[in-house]
Amino acid sequence: MNKTIVALDFSSRQEVMDFLAKFDSPITVKIGMELTYAEGLDLVREIKEAGHDVFLDLKLHDIPNTVKGGMKNLARLGVDLTNVHAAGGVEMMKAGKEGLKEGCTSNKTPLLIAVTQLTSTSQEAMNEEQGIPGTVIDSVVRYATKAKEAGLDGVVCSVHEVKAIKEACGPEFLCVTPGIRLSSDSKDDQKRVATPAFAREQGSDYIVVGRSITKAEDPAKTYAMIEAEMNK
Ligand code: C5P
């Protein structure tokens, strides 16, 4: 997998195909619920068959048995990386990993990462609505350690949380970070952003980049530039 994951935040197959046609060689993409619910999992198969690596971002969260069954079927698609909510608990995360192992048809089990606290959750909402005391970063690190305990490969997190997570879970524990902007870009609706260089310095393993690449004048050139920065 490349270190730069392009978020395919499009709502139709045609837009995705037009976008991918701009690249001469396979890239790594993130497919989320918007595209999946619009076009179905056949599009995931098609993108995999075209040679791209896929992070399927469906954030499963249910009872362990259901997550296991769901993951078994996602593994059959040959995706490279997928995720669950850490809030589902250690048993659920373990079941997700087991499902992936059982459903995997190659010797490369998809990587499984956990969503900790969504970046849209404020400390106030976390304290009041979820009933979790303390700061967001404390909760993020706690969820990350639980994900590690469950045998997961890493977490989705903010660039600003990478250091604390790596300290608690070790350098091998993957941190996949969205919220990336080039220094020349507008921030759009992202509040706290980081450049690819800063993400690399913080120890981010993979960055998720949407609009900075999808809306670039030359997406392939921008992708190559960011990927070179991440591999410095
Ligand atoms: O266009 P942009 O680079 O902001 O897109 C970022 C992608 O990463 C989107 O698909 C967004 O949903 C996702 N994401 C995020 N922040 C999170 C988790 C996921 O921006 N905390």
Side-chain angles (χ1 to χ4, degrees), residues 71-72 74-76 78-79 98-110:
M71 283 298 178
K72 207 165 155 181
L74 295 185
R76 293 199 177 109
V79 298
E98 272 168 32
L100 286 177
K101 282 187 189 149
E102 281 183 24
C104 182
T105 50
S106 73
N107 54 6
K108 210 177 118 226
T109 308

Side-chain angles (χ1 to χ4, degrees), residues 16-31:
V16 170
M17 290 305 151
D18 290 348
F19 174 75
L20 291 176
K22 295 177 179 158
F23 294 83
D24 293 332
S25 46
I27 60 170
T28 304
V29 298
K30 175 172 92 70
I31 301 175

Side-chain angles (χ1 to χ4, degrees), residues 44-175:
V44 177
R45 285 189 193 93
E46 194 178 350
I47 292 172
K48 276 301 298 176
E49 275 163 20
H52 303 289
D53 287 329
V54 173
F55 166 20
L56 190 56
D57 178 20
L58 296 181
K59 301 184 178 72
L60 274 65
H61 186 174
D62 207 317
I63 60 169
N65 191 50
T66 303
V67 168
K68 183 174 175 180
M71 283 298 178
K72 207 165 155 181
N73 289 329
L74 295 185
R76 293 199 177 109
L77 297 169
V79 298
D80 302 273
L81 172 66
T82 189
N83 57 5
V84 289
H85 270 283
V90 170
E91 203 193 325
M92 187 210 77
M93 289 191 272
K94 276 186 185 165
K97 189 78 186 175
E98 272 168 32
L100 286 177
K101 282 187 189 149
E102 281 183 24
C104 182
T105 50
S106 73
N107 54 6
K108 210 177 118 226
T109 308
L111 295 170
L112 183 61
I113 57 177
V115 175
T116 57
Q117 287 290 348
L118 293 168
T119 44
S120 51
T121 304
S122 64
Q123 182 175 327
E124 190 188 7
M126 186 186 86
N127 297 155
E128 295 301 315
E129 296 173 23
Q130 300 178 17
I132 299 175
T135 62
V136 172
I137 185 77
D138 288 343
S139 170
V140 165
V141 171
R142 187 175 176 82
Y143 274 140
T145 59
K146 293 292 158 196
K148 181 160 187 209
E149 193 183 315
L152 267 58
D153 302 287
V155 287
V156 187
C157 64
S158 146
V159 170
H160 307 277
E161 296 160 354
V162 173
K163 283 206 161 150
I165 291 168
K166 295 266 183 187
E167 218 162 90
C169 302
E172 305 299 318
F173 194 68
L174 302 175
C175 289

Side-chain angles (χ1 to χ4, degrees), residues 7-9 30 57 59 117-120 156-158 178-181 187-190 208-212 214:
L8 293 181
D9 292 326
K30 175 172 92 70
D57 178 20
K59 301 184 178 72
Q117 287 290 348
L118 293 168
T119 44
S120 51
V156 187
C157 64
S158 146
I180 304 293
R181 287 293 175 274
K187 285 167 51 175
D188 298 302
D189 53 351
Q190 296 279 14
V208 176
V209 188
R211 287 160 286 186
S212 292
T214 56

